[in-house]
Amino acid sequence: MAAERVLEQTFSFNHLPSKTFFFLEDQDTLELFLKWSMLGRIKAQAFNFDLPFQPYQKHEFVSDFFKDPNVTSNLKLVASSGLWRHLDREVTQVKVEMVPCTKVSMDIFDPIYSHGIVRPTGHIVKCCQDYNADFDELKKMLLIEDSENYEIISREDRQEFLYRLFKHVCLGGVLCQYEDIIHNYIETTRLIYKDMVSVQKDPETKEIRIVSTVLKVTAYDHSGLCYPSEKEEEQTFAYLTIDPYKRHVYILYHSFGLGVYTTPDSGDLL
């Protein structure tokens, strides 16, 4: 198998610095990232690649991605100092998780509105005194497997990229100020999802379908874990979303920690 891989062409990548992502330019969304302690620690980047891609090639694709000098010299991550730096590491190993990505609407979240998690006004129901003041029925549904509402969203749907994004924005960063109304969580999830995945209309059925392949990735150098961070944390993540038609790959990155305190005048922090 290794010998066959040597004879194959490897994927090559180019950075696309002019690619913009609406959710990182929208002032209202930036204000929410500030409130959730994610501002200055979340980033999206774009690269293109040169060969046809099929999902079964996911491991080879990611391995080539992290070994390409155009990637290592441009891919950003948050250092232990809290400042952004380039990867600039010799990656020796990668781990790749295929993330289901099939949803073309926000219907996956409908059960939240019908099981006592939010009121008709959209206000999130607070928990009883057994939990701390920041805990509510939404966080119980997200985090506590034996809670009464945990399975209102199926375990299959909980694996979906759309649901993962929702959970990430709901949990936020170190000093997250949680929302009282669910709308901002839903809308921010929708904006990120729209930016990160590609869709096409089926010419026969006229139905919209997702064409992106989504991968959750981690990378290791000779010393151990090096990307997305040197420490594992549920809210530190890197997803690659691959558009096989445009031959674009987008990276959604977040490093759990203390976000910045003010919104930027430009995209320099992002």
Side-chain angles (χ1 to χ4, degrees):
M1 190 70 174
E4 292 177 5
R5 177 60 179 159
V6 171
L7 296 175
E8 294 177 5
Q9 285 185 293
T10 57
F11 291 93
S12 295
F13 300 85
N14 288 298
H15 186 215
L16 302 175
S18 62
K19 167 63 181 176
T20 58
F21 297 87
F22 177 78
F23 78 94
L24 290 177
E25 297 191 325
D26 176 63
Q27 192 62 34
D28 291 338
T29 307
L30 295 182
E31 293 285 350
L32 291 172
F33 285 148
L34 174 69
K35 182 179 181 182
W36 300 336
S37 196
M38 299 176 80
L39 188 65
R41 304 189 72 91
I42 189 167
K43 180 181 285 290
Q45 293 182 266
F47 294 79
N48 63 17
F49 55 94
D50 62 338
L51 297 175
F53 169 80
Q54 295 292 334
Y56 72 83
Q57 299 171 294
K58 61 184 182 298
H59 193 276
E60 291 82 359
F61 183 93
V62 174
S63 180
D64 291 348
F65 179 79
F66 280 107
K67 291 178 180 178
D68 192 298
N70 287 320
V71 172
T72 56
S73 61
N74 287 287
L75 188 64
K76 294 286 192 67
L77 71 158
V78 177
S80 57
S81 64
L83 300 177
W84 289 96
R85 66 172 178 84
H86 294 119
L87 176 59
D88 285 333
R89 299 284 183 91
E90 181 183 352
V91 170
T92 58
Q93 181 185 354
V94 296
K95 287 187 178 180
V96 185
E97 176 190 353
M98 183 77 80
V99 177
C101 185
T102 64
K103 304 300 181 182
V104 294
S105 76
M106 305 298 284
D107 293 351
I108 188 177
F109 302 115
D110 285 354
I112 292 175
Y113 295 88
S114 56
H115 285 77
I117 294 173
V118 298
R119 305 188 190 283
T121 59
H123 285 78
I124 301 166
V125 176
K126 299 298 182 182
C127 286
C128 62
Q129 295 179 355
D130 293 342
Y131 295 90
N132 66 50
D134 284 333
F135 222 75
D136 52 40
E137 291 295 334
L138 178 61
K139 294 183 192 65
K140 279 178 63 179
M141 186 275 293
L142 291 171
L143 298 171
I144 301 179
E145 290 194 35
D146 61 356
S147 66
E148 61 272 24
N149 285 325
Y150 185 83
E151 293 191 0
I152 63 169
I153 295 178
S154 70
R155 293 181 182 272
E156 181 181 11
D157 281 348
R158 282 174 174 267
Q159 297 304 310
E160 284 277 339
F161 185 47
L162 181 61
Y163 179 85
R164 295 185 190 212
L165 293 178
F166 177 73
K167 184 176 179 180
H168 286 314
V169 299
C170 288
L171 298 182
V174 168
L175 294 181
C176 182
Q177 300 175 59
Y178 299 109
E179 297 294 312
D180 293 322
I181 300 175
I182 200 168
H183 170 77
N184 286 337
Y185 293 140
I186 296 289
E187 180 62 13
T188 302
T189 300
R190 186 189 68 80
L191 291 178
I192 298 173
Y193 193 69
K194 186 176 180 181
D195 266 347
M196 297 304 298
V197 303
S198 300
V199 299
Q200 280 190 352
K201 181 181 287 188
D202 188 295
E204 295 182 359
T205 66
K206 307 303 180 183
E207 293 183 352
I208 300 296
R209 65 184 182 93
I210 304 291
V211 298
S212 298
T213 294
V214 181
L215 307 173
K216 187 176 183 181
V217 299
T218 53
Y220 301 77
D221 63 11
H222 293 287
S223 299
L225 183 65
C226 66
Y227 184 88
S229 175
E230 295 178 354
K231 296 181 179 179
E232 291 189 13
E233 159 61 50
E234 184 178 5
Q235 283 293 92
T236 295
F237 55 80
Y239 295 100
L240 303 189
T241 66
I242 304 163
D243 183 328
Y245 298 103
K246 293 181 180 178
R247 295 189 182 177
H248 283 183
V249 54
Y250 303 148
I251 302 91
L252 178 66
Y253 172 97
H254 176 255
S255 174
F256 180 74
L258 187 63
V260 299
Y261 296 102
T262 59
T263 54
D265 295 327
S266 66
D268 291 344
L269 287 173
L270 306 173

